[in-house]
Amino acid sequence: MIFYLTTLTNDPTYCTKMKTLLSCSLLFLSIVVFAQKRVRPVDPIDQKVKALLAKMTLEEKVGQLNQYSGTRDVTGPAGDKTTNKLEDIKQGKVGAMLNIRGVKEIRAVQEVAMQSRLKIPLIFGLDVIHGFRVTFPVPLGETASWDLNAIELSARYTGTQAAAAGVNWTFAPMVDIARDPRWGRVMEGAGEDTYLGSLVAKARVRGLQGKGLGNLDAIMACAKHFAAYGAGLAGREYAAADISDQTLLNVYLPPFKAAVDAGVATLMNSFNTVNGVPATGNSYLQRDILKGQWQFKGFVVSDFGSIGELVAHGYAENQEDAARLAITAGSDMDMESRSYILNLTRLVKERKIPVSVIDDAAGRILRKKFELGLFDDPYRFCNEEREKQVLGDLNESLEAARKVGAKSIVLLKNENQVLPLSKKLKSIAVIGPLAKSNDLKGGWSQGWKNDQIVSLYEGLEAKVGNGTKLLYARGCNFNDTLRTGFAEAVETAKNADVIIAAIGESSGMTGEATSRTDISIPGVQEDLIKALVATGKPLVVLIMSGRPLTFNYTADHANSILYTWWLGSQSGNSMADVLFGDYNPSGKLPITFPRVLGQIPIYYNELSTGRPLLNPKDRAWKSVYMDQPNTPKFAFGYGLSYTTFEYQNLKLDKTKMKGTEKLTVTMDLTNTGKYAGEEVVQLYLQDKFASIARPVKELKDFQKVMLKPGETKKLSFVIDKQKLSFFNQKLKWVAEPGEFKLMIGTASDNIKLKSNFELIN
Ligand code: BGC
């Protein structure tokens, strides 16, 4: 080109040639620009979906939006029992099934779908919440590990095992923020914090969906329950969520957005109303936010029967109205209510719903079927050989369950360093209703039978040598009101060097529809602890539950306390690993533990008050209770280790940052104790002055770090504008210039290093 231009300037016809050259270049440029604008890459799946929709009758399209439950697992009130489901499948009136599992059963039903006119395969969904064959800790417990790799890994095994058994879709992860331990479903999520919850949501989606739909070990994830299901009034299941728009956007929605960003295939909406409008019929949530602002391309399934429940909500007059409202609001698939299959075709024919709405919903579902590869081979997940092989080869996943189980345990107290126990003890008394119990899976468990669960007692047996005698007495059962077993328990305890007592809820006390008004340890179990304390023997208490409980007597009198949640298949082994120091506990609470029920809702990131309690002695006219401190029994982020850590040398690379800049924070962490161990270093921020009151602190980063005794590591955190932003009163995502407080600590109530910085324009 340069050569051409230099020769050109000496040419007498320079001007004409130059003009021609310029216009040619312009023409070329505009062709390029035009081409770039016009030629969007062809999405082959889009083409296939469109082609298929063109062949389908309206009835068949509506059929894709209909999901039935099998009869094996009961996860909700059964719909019309007279429905001949297999006949409906044959007629193309069903798009997906749930609650069928195992290759044999799934294949049999898929074969029926292959008899339908267009042979559109079914999707098979199941609540695979914390493990399919191998059961991992309940999601809340696993979140206490704050170990995103371990969490992703357990989801990976879960996805792999479920896929091998013919399942294409799990209704997980539950990403509902939960601030009320009365609600039984707190066990299913990642706790009270939006930042931690968002990272855990991503890890779980990545784990379940693996390298992407279409791989034989990947299943579709489903972020649920959209939205604010955890904010139900007074912790009661299915109750209304009445919260401000700012709280909805700043606290409850980000984990869903994180799941969408991680490529989650589907969302499930929720039973509750959100600020008056049932989530299932909520256009603001599903059309404006999810499918609009977030550009979500997957599909939304209703919760079990929730479309039909729009009538009970007083939102729809009848089932027909419910169907119209739900589909219009963006609920693509009807789980079990029959409202769609019975009404949508007619509603379209009567022009009450445009056919484009049905096409959009059916198109979203068909797209996932193509992505899963079901049109290439409807039986590709139905390989009995593979099922046998994957579900028969569980060693690695059992090992992962044991490891993540140990990481999930939270050491709440360790007076006089009673833990870790010596392996040379002569005798240990193992006491309590959960000491020998194998029912340690917690709610929503699939596949793994109780008799395959390692109990605490079995875990101890496998850990200690012949020199240590294990003595056992149950003492009482969960709900006992009588103390008849106490004498035997006390006698047993007196004969031992150490007592390990295992108490808590029964495994079925958490999960769906298990709200409680009393979150203390049931029955006379804490009285049993009192009797054991009276023996004067060192006392280690293990508390098992899927929710925070209140246990002030135990907290104040036992020497050591481990909160173990429900750990699943490897429960006893993980517990024994921690009890004897083969794993140094590193779990931190993902949810606040109140002192008393009356403090609920209590969470660390509350909004500021105009009359805060700054000095505990100056309580007059302050935001306090007359009968209790404001502080929880155990705060969010709290958890001890057998070693100790020192936080030092906080440095910020600048004290003023522009919105376009990043601020780097460094600090040194040293293991000052005698055990190797992991610490979860937590970084909190407070926006000191803003256009709306901001939380007193918010988790914005953390690192889980392993250190040998005496070792120091330099940690560095990066703060960008995103971390300083929030939805303001006008619901705009903004970072407001001004001062921020930075706090780094070992728990939300134990800040070790502090500083300030300023965001400038
Ligand atoms: C629950 C969902 C679950 C569904 C299907 C409902 O009752 O709320 O979380 O996925 O049942 O079993």
Side-chain angles (χ1 to χ4, degrees):
M1 177 69 118
I2 293 173
F3 170 71
Y4 181 65
L5 282 177
T6 33
T7 45
L8 195 65
T9 38
N10 303 326
D11 187 334
T13 55
Y14 168 76
C15 271
T16 337
K17 283 191 176 164
M18 195 60 195
K19 269 186 200 157
T20 324
L21 174 70
L22 272 176
S23 28
C24 284
S25 315
L26 275 177
L27 182 68
F28 176 70
L29 257 177
S30 22
I31 290 171
V32 171
V33 172
F34 182 74
Q36 273 177 347
K37 271 197 181 158
R38 286 295 299 236
V39 182
R40 246 187 271 130
V42 182
D43 176 352
I45 293 191
D46 235 20
Q47 306 285 341
K48 288 181 189 170
V49 169
K50 275 190 193 130
L52 182 54
L53 281 172
K55 286 191 215 153
M56 293 167 75
T57 63
L58 177 58
E59 286 79 359
E60 283 164 338
K61 291 176 190 172
V62 169
Q64 287 304 304
L65 319 189
N66 185 33
Q67 182 182 37
Y68 287 148
S69 174
T71 46
R72 194 205 250 251
D73 303 277
V74 182
T75 55
D80 180 359
K81 289 200 186 112
T82 61
T83 312
N84 184 338
K85 293 178 182 172
L86 291 181
E87 190 48 41
D88 279 5
I89 293 172
K90 212 185 279 178
Q91 288 183 27
K93 287 183 172 174
V94 184
M97 293 294 292
L98 77 147
N99 292 339
I100 301 183
R101 60 179 136 118
V103 160
K104 220 164 144 202
E105 286 181 26
I106 288 178
R107 177 183 280 272
V109 180
Q110 192 71 293
E111 276 169 0
V112 180
M114 288 305 108
Q115 295 168 37
S116 64
R117 187 180 77 93
L118 290 171
K119 300 188 181 358
I120 299 177
L122 295 166
I123 305 176
F124 293 87
L126 191 70
D127 293 283
V128 191
I129 307 295
H130 51 113
F132 180 77
R133 182 53 55 83
V134 169
T135 308
F136 292 87
V138 292
L140 181 65
E142 198 184 58
T143 304
S145 72
W146 294 54
D147 188 326
L148 299 171
N149 294 330
I151 291 172
E152 183 171 337
L153 186 67
S154 81
R156 188 77 289 275
Y157 284 118
T158 300
T160 305
Q161 291 172 13
V167 174
N168 318 124
W169 182 21
T170 175
F171 307 119
M174 185 184 105
V175 304
D176 296 309
I177 294 299
R179 292 168 154 185
D180 194 327
R182 289 172 295 186
W183 189 45
R185 295 195 89 165
V186 295
M187 63 143 282
E188 259 182 86
E192 75 186 33
D193 185 63
T194 304
Y195 179 79
L196 177 61
S198 299
L199 293 185
V200 171
K202 282 189 180 182
R204 290 192 168 133
V205 170
R206 281 197 304 264
L208 292 165
Q209 297 190 168
K211 295 213 175 83
L213 302 188
N215 287 290
L216 283 170
D217 61 357
I219 56 176
M220 296 200 293
C222 179
K224 69 186 189 184
H225 306 82
F226 197 61
Y229 185 36
L233 186 70
R236 211 177 63 234
E237 188 67 276
Y238 316 129
D242 207 356
I243 52 180
S244 71
D245 279 341
Q246 284 104 313
T247 300
L248 181 68
L249 295 182
N250 284 318
V251 177
Y252 286 90
L253 294 193
F256 289 97
K257 174 70 165 57
V260 169
D261 290 345
V264 73
T266 67
L267 259 77
M268 181 186 289
N269 55 36
S270 54
F271 290 119
N272 54 291
T273 55
V274 183
N275 299 336
V277 180
T280 303
N282 203 312
S283 206
Y284 170 59
L285 285 173
Q286 302 185 133
R287 290 257 181 239
D288 299 355
I289 295 183
L290 177 65
K291 293 177 177 173
Q293 288 167 32
W294 298 355
Q295 296 282 300
F296 174 63
K297 296 283 178 273
F299 69 88
V300 181
V301 63
S302 79
D303 205 342
F304 201 109
S306 69
I307 296 179
E309 289 169 20
L310 293 179
V311 178
H313 273 300
Y315 187 69
E317 278 178 31
N318 48 41
Q319 292 301 318
E320 178 184 297
D321 203 22
R324 181 182 60 78
L325 287 162
I327 193 80
T328 308
S331 297
D332 300 306
M333 185 179 276
D334 173 4
M335 183 190 283
E336 262 292 314
S337 93
R338 317 282 197 278
S339 310
Y340 280 5
I341 197 65
L342 296 177
N343 297 293
L344 284 184
T345 303
R346 194 177 58 259
L347 282 165
V348 173
K349 286 186 179 154
E350 289 170 1
R351 295 179 187 279
K352 291 185 181 149
I353 298 171
V355 72
S356 58
V357 170
I358 309 290
D359 283 351
D360 176 61
R364 285 168 181 268
I365 294 161
L366 293 171
R367 160 170 276 280
K368 292 300 159 203
K369 295 187 178 185
F370 278 110
E371 288 178 13
L372 284 164
L374 291 172
F375 282 102
D376 302 328
D377 175 5
Y379 307 111
R380 62 194 301 262
F381 294 94
C382 296
N383 180 326
E384 284 193 56
E385 268 308 297
R386 190 169 55 234
E387 180 181 42
K388 233 201 251 153
Q389 189 252 317
V390 173
L391 302 185
D393 179 11
L394 301 176
N395 289 341
E396 270 184 28
S397 49
L398 283 170
E399 192 47 33
R402 179 175 186 155
K403 282 196 182 139
V404 73
K407 281 169 183 273
S408 305
I409 294 173
V410 184
L411 176 64
L412 294 178
K413 184 178 182 188
N414 198 16
E415 197 179 70
N416 304 329
Q417 260 66 60
V418 165
L419 291 178
L421 298 176
S422 155
K423 286 180 188 156
K424 290 188 191 131
L425 290 169
K426 293 241 157 44
S427 55
I428 303 173
V430 196
I431 311 246
L434 286 158
K436 275 200 171 175
S437 169
N438 295 96
D439 189 1
L440 305 178
K441 288 183 299 193
W444 293 112
S445 310
Q446 300 287 339
W448 193 260
K449 296 197 184 71
N450 281 351
D451 60 9
Q452 293 165 306
I453 302 272
V454 183
S455 71
L456 168 63
Y457 192 87
E458 287 157 347
L460 293 172
E461 266 183 327
K463 183 67 77 181
V464 297
N466 292 339
T468 309
K469 241 199 282 167
L470 293 181
L471 313 170
Y472 165 75
R474 189 161 74 164
C476 63
N477 212 342
F478 299 105
N479 284 318
D480 278 358
T481 48
L482 297 176
R483 294 164 175 74
T484 39
F486 283 20
E488 186 204 354
V490 167
E491 265 327 289
T492 311
K494 279 185 182 159
N495 292 323
D497 297 339
V498 173
I499 312 167
I500 298 178
I503 57 171
E505 291 184 317
S506 67
S507 166
M509 285 180 80
T510 39
E512 187 173 349
T514 58
S515 294
R516 292 180 68 195
T517 60
D518 172 5
I519 57 161
S520 64
I521 298 196
V524 292
Q525 294 182 80
E526 275 214 283
D527 291 345
L528 175 64
I529 298 297
K530 236 182 240 177
L532 297 175
V533 167
T535 65
K537 296 278 179 180
L539 173 62
V540 178
V541 180
L542 272 63
I543 301 178
M544 305 185 195
S545 172
R547 55 153 70 84
L549 295 172
T550 53
F551 44 91
N552 289 316
Y553 179 83
T554 305
D556 297 342
H557 294 88
N559 299 104
S560 301
I561 302 174
L562 292 170
Y563 212 80
T564 72
W565 320 99
W566 299 115
L567 295 181
S569 304
Q570 290 276 34
S571 296
N573 287 333
S574 305
M575 293 173 199
D577 286 345
V578 169
L579 284 165
F580 289 91
D582 290 334
Y583 181 76
N584 181 357
S586 63
K588 302 274 187 178
L589 297 177
I591 186 165
T592 304
F593 278 46
R595 293 169 188 274
V596 292
L597 189 75
Q599 289 181 307
I600 294 171
I602 178 170
Y603 43 90
Y604 83 95
N605 49 354
E606 64 177 28
L607 296 186
S608 60
T609 153
R611 293 186 178 189
L613 179 70
L614 298 176
N615 169 1
K617 286 192 189 127
D618 179 14
R619 296 167 59 85
W621 312 110
K622 295 293 186 312
S623 174
V624 292
Y625 296 106
M626 291 178 80
D627 54 346
Q628 286 288 339
N630 286 1
T631 52
K633 192 73 183 170
F634 300 107
F636 172 83
Y638 172 79
L640 302 173
S641 163
Y642 296 152
T643 192
T644 45
F645 297 98
E646 197 171 20
Y647 289 62
Q648 279 171 317
N649 299 332
L650 177 67
K651 287 196 186 102
L652 278 61
D653 73 342
K654 49 181 89 64
T655 50
K656 290 181 195 296
M657 76 177 259
K658 290 188 192 138
T660 49
E661 289 177 334
K662 290 186 165 102
L663 186 149
T664 304
V665 180
T666 54
M667 57 153 285
D668 294 337
L669 182 74
T670 306
N671 181 344
T672 48
K674 55 181 179 154
Y675 297 95
E678 290 159 291
E679 168 71 325
V680 179
V681 177
Q682 301 158 40
L683 183 150
Y684 296 90
L685 293 178
Q686 184 194 17
D687 190 347
K688 287 175 77 172
F689 309 101
S691 59
I692 56 172
R694 302 291 299 127
V696 292
K697 59 170 77 92
E698 284 180 293
L699 183 75
K700 288 293 173 182
D701 209 346
F702 66 87
Q703 284 181 36
K704 186 159 187 168
V705 191
M706 170 59 118
L707 290 179
K708 293 193 217 84
E711 192 185 0
T712 298
K713 271 190 190 158
K714 185 169 284 304
L715 310 184
S716 110
F717 300 91
V718 176
I719 294 171
D720 60 9
K721 194 175 168 186
Q722 282 298 315
K723 292 209 155 119
L724 309 179
S725 302
F726 61 95
F727 287 96
N728 68 9
Q729 198 185 15
K730 301 231 159 84
L731 307 182
K732 282 226 167 67
W733 180 246
V734 292
E736 295 179 353
E739 217 180 313
F740 287 80
K741 187 164 161 187
L742 172 115
M743 295 156 271
I744 297 185
T746 179
S748 63
D749 67 343
N750 192 352
I751 298 301
K752 304 284 189 185
L753 303 167
K754 278 185 206 164
S755 189
N756 288 301
F757 64 90
E758 203 184 325
L759 175 70
I760 49 175
N761 259 333

